[in-house]
């Protein structure tokens, strides 16, 4: 069995390739020991490769530096190609790969090549951190639950609200100003609305950059990965909608959180 670990800023993702297919598991980055114990308990001896910003920290704990860590973008791009092929999308060769992890990185994939073309510090860490500061809820699942009842219109200003009865030069439902509808302490929106709007801010920031990258490269598909999409229908919906408004085909890859771990495993 081949296995890969992707240790990122927030989560450790593990992918194990079995005869029946991939087995996935994730842990908090604070649970490195639990993660390694879990791996040790597995029967078959594992051939293991590690990637991610915290790969070296995990290597040190493993005490086996026989294999070098796999470069993060190489791993995530290879993993994405592999998972796309498993999804019956091997015809897709040229696309933008946007990884919304703790932070967001954008790679251009053309055939067998990949190139980092940019990113933004706005990502899943922003979702948790900014929402936490605003609402005092710092737990990811609780934030997602909270956002489910939230409405962005008490927080964000759309183009059509600025134009009123006038005709806007761009689609009126676009966000003109994230958090721009909040103008006085007298009318602080409910927590649920605040979190929904933070998710909107993350969605629109990562999508806008992905769109620019796709246009510059002349590709028409953006593949979105990273754990920020896990159980997060609001992020998925906004990213999908906004990408389509720009004429791009968005793919939010199933098991896309595990691209890095899959790519690392495949480097064995
Ligand atoms: P990076 O690649 O930037 O170093 P990472 O690899 O740890 O970070 P991901 O695991 O792809 O990043 O995504 C982390 C984000 O996923 C978090 O910031 C949070 O928004 C979201 N998330 C999803 N599930 C959880 C969870 N169980 N606990 C905490 N955050 C979660
Ligand atoms: Mg990552």
């Amino acid at each position: 069995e081949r296995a890969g670990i992707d240790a990122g800023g927030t989560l450790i993702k593990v992918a194990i390739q079995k005869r029946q297919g991939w087995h996935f598991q994730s842990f908090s980055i604070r649970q490195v020991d639990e993660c390694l114990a879990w791996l040790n308990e597995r029967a078959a001896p594992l051939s293991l490769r590690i990637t991610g910003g915290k790969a070296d920290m995990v290597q040190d704990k493993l005490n086996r530096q026989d294999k070098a860590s796999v470069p993060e973008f190489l791993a995530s791009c290879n993993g994405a190609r592999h998972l796309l092929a498993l999804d019956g999308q091997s015809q897709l060769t040229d696309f933008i790969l946007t990884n919304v992890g703790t932070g967001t990185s954008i790679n251009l994939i053309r055939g067998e090549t990949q190139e980092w073309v940019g990113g933004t510090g706005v990502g899943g860490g922003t979702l948790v951190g900014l929402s936490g500061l605003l609402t005092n809820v710092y737990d990811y699942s609780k934030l997602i639950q909270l956002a489910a009842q939230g409405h962005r219109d008490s927080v964000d200003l759309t183009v059509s609200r600025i134009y009123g009865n006038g005709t806007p030069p761009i689609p009126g439902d676009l966000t003109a100003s994230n958090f721009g509808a909040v103008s006085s302490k007298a009318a602080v929106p409910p927590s649920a609305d605040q979190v929904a709007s933070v998710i909107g801010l993350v969605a629109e920031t990562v999508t806008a950059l992905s769109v620019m990258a796709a246009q510059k490269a002349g590709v028409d598909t953006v593949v979105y990965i990273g754990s920020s999409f896990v159980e997060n229908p609001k992020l998925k919906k906004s990213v999908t909608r906004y990408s389509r408004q720009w004429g791009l085909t968005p793919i939010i890859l199933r098991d896309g959180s595990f691209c890095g771990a899959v790519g690392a495993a495949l480097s064995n």
Side-chain angles (χ1 to χ4, degrees), residues 47-194:
S47 164
L48 190 63
R49 295 295 297 272
I50 309 179
T51 189
K54 295 230 175 335
D56 290 351
M57 188 258 276
V58 176
Q59 291 270 40
D60 288 347
K61 291 218 179 208
L62 265 176
N63 227 345
R64 45 178 269 193
Q65 274 135 321
D66 45 328
K67 285 177 177 171
S69 57
V70 181
E72 179 173 357
F73 297 149
L74 181 70
S76 55
C77 291
N78 281 339
R81 284 192 193 91
H82 182 87
L83 292 180
L84 279 167
L86 285 183
D87 243 16
Q89 310 224 49
S90 44
Q91 85 293 344
L92 184 62
T93 56
D94 299 5
F95 56 93
I96 291 293
L97 183 71
T98 298
N99 185 359
V100 190
T102 311
T104 300
S105 58
I106 302 179
N107 278 269
L108 168 62
I109 298 190
R110 274 195 220 276
E112 295 305 304
T113 70
Q114 68 258 346
E115 181 194 358
W116 177 78
V117 293
T120 168
V122 176
T126 312
L127 194 169
V128 175
L130 184 53
S131 300
L133 286 175
L134 289 170
T135 65
N136 226 18
V137 177
Y138 292 87
D139 178 80
Y140 177 77
S141 309
K142 292 203 176 103
L143 285 169
I144 298 300
Q145 268 179 42
L146 189 55
Q149 286 103 51
H151 298 285
R152 293 179 60 187
D153 48 2
S154 62
V155 180
D156 298 323
L157 212 48
T158 56
V159 168
S160 57
R161 273 171 74 191
I162 290 186
Y163 270 77
N165 291 327
T167 309
I170 54 174
D173 62 343
L174 288 178
T175 305
S177 176
N178 297 81
F179 288 85
V182 184
S183 54
S184 78
K185 201 159 184 164
V188 172
S191 293
D193 295 5
Q194 296 183 29

Side-chain angles (χ1 to χ4, degrees), residues 96-106 119-124 126 198-214 222-225 228-229 235-236 238-240 242-243 248:
I96 291 293
L97 183 71
T98 298
N99 185 359
V100 190
T102 311
T104 300
S105 58
I106 302 179
T120 168
V122 176
T126 312
V198 172
I199 294 175
L201 171 71
V202 173
E204 288 161 9
T205 305
V206 304
T207 307
L209 276 173
S210 303
V211 166
M212 295 297 154
V222 182
V223 176
Y224 293 94
I225 61 171
S228 306
F229 292 99
L235 186 69
K236 289 183 186 166
S238 298
V239 162
T240 301
Y242 196 23
S243 301
L248 294 171

Side-chain angles (χ1 to χ4, degrees), residues 6-9 11 13 52-53 72 99 101-103 257:
D6 173 9
L11 299 176
K13 283 74 62 183
E72 179 173 357
N99 185 359
T102 311
S257 330

